[in-house]
Amino acid sequence: MSWLSRLNPRGPGTRTGRHAAPSSPCTADPETCLMVFENHWRQVSGVLKRRESSVGGCADDLTAVRNHTDQMLCLLAEERPAGGDIESPDCGMSAAMGPILEMVVAENILEELVQWHVRHGLDPDSQLELLKLFEMLIGQSHQPLLLHSAVLQPLLSLLGACVDPQLGCPSALESSLVLLLNQVCVSMVKETAILELLFKCGPVQQGPTNLLIFSLLVPFIHRDGSLGQQARDALLLVMATSASNHAVARYIAENSYFCPVLATGLSALYSSLPRKIEVRGDDWHALRREDWMGVSSLVLFMNSLEFCNAVVQVAHPLVRCQLLDYLHNGFLVPVMGPALHKSSVDEMIASTAYLDLFLRSITETSLLKTFLRFILLHRHDNDTILDTLLTRISSNSRLCMVSLSLFKTLLSLNCEDLMLQLVLRYLLPCTHVMLSQRRAVRETDLYGKSADKFLSLIPECCRITSAPSSERDDEPAFWGKVLGSPTSESPVHHRPSTPSRLSLFIRQQSSGGQANSSGSENAPPSPRGSVSSPLSSDSPMHQLPDTSEGETGYLEYLRDARRGIELCSWGCRDWSAPYDGENPSPTSVPPPPPPPTSNPSLSMVPEHFSVMDPAQQRAAVVAAARSEWSSSDRDSGEWDVTISKNCISLTPRSKKRSLLPSTVPLQSSASASTEITGAVETVSQHPHSAPHPALYNGMGQVEFTDSVDERMEVKKVKRESDVNSGVVESGMNGSMGMGPVDFKDFHVGSALKSSQVQLKPHLQHQTSVPSSTQECLQSESQRLSPVLGLTETSTVPRDNRAPESVERLIEELLERAPSEPLSGDSKGQGISIEAFHQELRELEERVRERRVLSHSSEESSRESRTAPAPNLTDEDCLPVETERRSSETKPDSSTTGVFSPARPLGQPLAQPYTGPFITVLFSKLESMMQNSLYVNILLTGVVFQLACYPQPLLRSFLLNTNMVFQPSVKSLIQVLGSVKNRIEAFAATHEDFPVLLRKARRFLVARGKLDWSDSPMGVPNLRRSDSLIKSRKPSLGDLILRHTNSPTRARHAAQLALAHVRDGGQSLHSALFRGGAAGGASGLEKQAEALRVKNAVYCAVIFSEFLKELAALAQEHAVALPFPPSQGTEE
Amino acid sequence: MDSNKRSDAEEQSGPGEQRASPARPSFGKKQLPSIPKNAIPITKAASPASSTQSANGTHASYGPFYLEYSLLAEFTLVIKQKLPGIYVQPSYRSALMWFGVIFIRHGLYQDGVFKFTVYIPDNYPDGDCPRVVFDTPVFHPLVDPVSGELDVRRAFTKWRRNHNHIWQVLMYARTIFYKINTMEPLNPEAAVLYEKDIQLYKSKVVDSVKLCNSHLFDQPKIDDPYAISFSPWNPAVHEEAKEKMFAHKRRPDDYNKGLPVSGLSWVKPGSTQPFSKDDNPLQT
């Protein structure tokens, strides 16, 4: 009821506010008022009668009538109910009418007035005047005027006269009209009888439909600004009032366009969302409130979605069902489905992030069900949405991160249906377990054996306490002591004092201050984490130098795990079965779908890398590595990396910036053709300086265009000028920055006005299919009626008298909805350019790659004591590794790595298969060394969440390290074992690994700390998400691991910690190339190598923490008590 | 009748009298039930090593966690077993010592309320089986008439981890009062009487039960904040506790209202198909 409670104060609030001023005359004696009123009425009626015969109408008459009417209505509004019962002014019929009202009713004064106006020919001016008068009257009156048909009828006449059935409401009248309607609805809430009256006296009127009030409001549903809000509020009041009124509900469902307009309106609004989400940091992976508040189109959409949620909450079941059905068939299927399947990676990222946001924003169970049903069951091109989303996890980093984030949201729903489809149905047959082991499914880790096993996988090289010191306990600043002083490294790795260096310094200062202030202004939340509290007391600035590496207490992990398991089992308490290997019975379940035989679903990730030959892949990997490096460097604000054919130039940031336009005003009419040419240029100039070049593949040139510079620069300017400078993010079609930049007023609401429909260029491609969508919609509505048991009207869902305007409105809305994936976008050009460059690199790379490979393959084969997977011998495994070696999550891993290691092609289908989700997660885990930090943070977070589920089938599969699986089934422990081996092999080849490791830890701690001081008020308002995201905060381990929710904070922290990390990078460079660079390695190779090292070192930190988490989970599961089912009594 | 009254009194033990029962609010936390006053839970007190954040070193330093969690897990199993008439409560000072009480509801020992203590070997689970010692030696062939120790070992000749659990010991401690075994008795007198003179045995048992029950309200033998103690029914103290006990619904530790929609499931029981439940959308 949150909506309603929010609404209710609204009516009285505005009312008292306004009525405070004229309240003085109301103290006048009622009889005097009546006399005055009568006097006015005499004069007016004189005019009215006089003009009865001769219709010519002089302006004087009009003015006179207007003035008198004004006075009269004021008097009426001020009048108190007879008996002077001020105590209960709104108590309805019980109080007698005041004398003026009595007269108004007796002589039908208002009706006469309105009729006179109507006959007279209502000019817009008088319409406006009358609307305002009525609004004042209804809003301020002390008596329930609308209960009297002498007031209600003229009101309806007026409304009917103001709103042309064909053209809708003239725009000049809109705000007054909506305000009036809103007032009517507010009084309706107070006097529910009004609803009945409105409903009954409808047909008499000339209005097209029974509930004129309602149908007049519908077109404003999706408006932005206060107008839309008022309309939505008013509609919601109608919804709530009619929740128990079957007749009205039926009317709304059958005779109004409320549901279709709402649903298809979402489609229209969706279509105006940015196609591409301009990301500000390489850790960005989800839309938070701060992200979208500045994007007007998204705000508009979210308002409407929130409204849908509210309607579902309060409306009559009939209306709710219809709305849900329309949302499914009118928004999710025709719009969301294709949007998720767009061929451009940027669009995939955007649509995935949107879906994630929507899921986090919905609170109503039935609406959530509609979304989940769509995700789980709807098939788009033969694949369920879920299948499609799953494959994205294996893609390259940004898409992967957004997808992981979505799955985290999905997992947090604790929905049985989802888990069944995602994991459980593959485990149900128990074929993954050796027959003799089936009983063990239900066992928990009673004696900590599994926990011990997980902990034993922490690589030796990561046990940082093996440092020389002996007093490793209870010395929080231990690490600070050893390498605390920031100067300890700087003499060695002295850097030239470039302008950018200076700017970094300055920025550090400022951001430090910023962080400081933000920390202090929202006084330390000081959550229960006692371990970390000493750290939070100080400002990050001061702390940074001598902070500990953040020894993450195991107790914190235990607490986290306990909480996670408790919440999860609480969430699962109403599931239909325990999933313990016996119920549902393994023998009775239908066989799960087999694994993909080739990699058909992979082809859905339209990355051109995936069809390249291995050499190209490698080159692409390097290219990506390069860009990853450059992007991270760019984030530091120091260097711009420009890669041209054979050299990489590092340009000091500040210098370069001045050369570039810092703002690019967005023109919605920007022509695609110019952008295409622009794209080619940009590509040739800076082919790889985008953060994740692979993300650009498959995206039409259009998206490719604006790459790099502008964006970078805009971003930078934003950061420095702290937004709000009116900087307009650049734009290609509709893509825009997520910063709080007031982008452009996408006046989607204007679609409702036939006069100004803005079709943005990219939408024009897509208007080819609107009719089919509409057909679908119509057939849907026909189908719907029988479903609802309303057969009478099923064949004629629409009243013939229905106004054209609504018809057109829907049409328009539909036209704006994208219905099919863009087919016209050719991606050939961008690809060929990319490919060309990669080919150029290839030769250079191959030599170097081979050398490094052969070196480390010796290492790893020596190290790997257990084969990572039964069918994955070292020989198999190594090439994969090398192909991925210097990348973070490369597309090649999606082709060669994802499905094949777990289940090689050609294996009989009868082989146990643990499902695509497990497969893709494991394969991603296996490549942890190559994943970026942020991917790993998200990835381990998802696995953690999955491992919180108490169902024995799932728990035993992930956490019982003693289980014996079928040989073809890869277990989590095997995967982790192989990662461990790789980390150790890596550490063995890098002598300064301990130093790097410490730096990495320190960076993560600093990052976490800053994030922690994030204000609780900054929490996104998304009811579900905030609790989930923030929930993991207080533990120190969490600080290190998972505060992914505040990129900005993280960025500050990153900047703070940057010096160290950068020094680390530097020393790492020298370490690497001291021996290796003898052969004149190019800068490119250095970067690729540096990236590889960076990822590996971060991976080592995350990996160790992750193992502690898993161990804690194993232990906590053993002591967890299930919750009894809620029996529907709670909430 | 009599036993009902007594078990009532037992159920309504006041806040100061800690007792394990499945309905206990504090079971929600897996920390051992918290003490009302200012005691710290056993997890910290029992093994000081564990409370230091020594998680940084080798995984050997996690050792203390394992023992505690093993015992906690055993305790959790006890709760899940819902053994009739048996309540246990780990002590505050050591997770290796549990206080218990057993209510015998019918048979020869009907109305008996026997307090006991479980001692778990510190090399658990690789050591011997836990010992059970009755506060007052019950007259029973398998209970040592002097020490009050129950012969547990005969049932668990070799304590096997993974197979043997403490709840089995508790179960066994209950069973002996219903199925009397006279083989190799610790109390030969009881064994002989049971075989030869069941009437005398019965009267001895009645005496023993009376004796035990007469000491019910005594201070616990072992001074421990979590020791089980009984007191006469005192509405001022017990009524409220009883109310709470019945009204209580366990929720996640930091459960709050804003938490996600929970219990999402549209799977029809017996089906493994998503959204297979017939939901009547017209019902609220």
Side-chain angles (χ1 to χ4, degrees), chain A residues 317 320-321 363 365 368-369 372-373 376-377 413-417 420-421 428 446-447 449 451-452 455-456 463 465 472 551-555 558 562-563 566-567 570-571 573-576 584 589-590 1023-1024 1108 1115-1116 1118-1123 1130-1131, chain B residues 27-31 44 50-51 53 55-59 62 65-66 69-70 72-74 76-77 79-80 124-125 161-162 164-165 249-255 258-269 271-275 279 281-284:
Chain A
R320 185 179 64 212
C321 288
T363 57
T365 309
L368 205 51
K369 180 185 177 185
L372 287 173
R373 184 194 277 273
L376 297 187
L377 299 185
L413 296 176
N414 300 323
C415 170
E416 180 176 8
D417 309 61
L420 198 53
Q421 292 298 90
L428 271 175
L446 267 187
Y447 308 114
K449 280 184 78 175
D452 195 53
L455 292 170
S456 74
R463 308 217 162 114
T465 45
R472 61 192 177 93
E551 264 322 313
T552 49
Y554 188 61
L555 276 180
L558 287 171
R562 168 176 310 183
R563 189 178 189 280
E566 252 182 12
L567 288 178
W570 170 261
R573 70 198 190 283
D574 287 335
W575 282 24
S576 73
V589 296
R1023 279 134 298 204
R1024 193 163 330 110
K1108 291 183 202 167
Q1115 290 203 276
E1116 284 292 342
V1119 299
L1121 276 174
F1123 290 93
E1130 294 170 81
E1131 286 149 279
Chain B
F27 275 22
K29 310 165 186 170
K30 269 142 284 149
Q31 281 184 337
K44 307 233 164 159
S50 71
S51 55
Q53 275 86 48
N56 45 8
T58 67
H59 59 281
Y62 296 87
F65 289 107
Y66 299 153
Y69 267 77
S70 298
L72 268 173
E74 285 286 358
T76 309
L77 285 181
I79 294 168
K80 284 180 181 164
Y124 170 88
R161 58 151 63 201
N162 283 317
N164 294 132
H165 297 293
K249 284 214 175 94
R250 191 170 75 97
R251 301 204 151 167
D253 256 359
D254 35 8
Y255 174 86
L259 228 56
V261 200
S262 61
L264 288 185
S265 168
W266 296 280
V267 180
K268 189 168 143 195
S271 161
T272 55
Q273 293 305 308
F275 304 107
D279 58 342
L282 292 186
Q283 275 170 11
T284 320

Side-chain angles (χ1 to χ4, degrees), chain A residues 42-58:
Chain A
R42 248 194 313 279
Q43 301 191 40
V44 174
S45 52
V47 179
L48 300 192
K49 291 202 176 94
R50 182 149 41 85
R51 284 293 147 196
E52 198 72 52
S53 45
S54 60
V55 180
C58 71

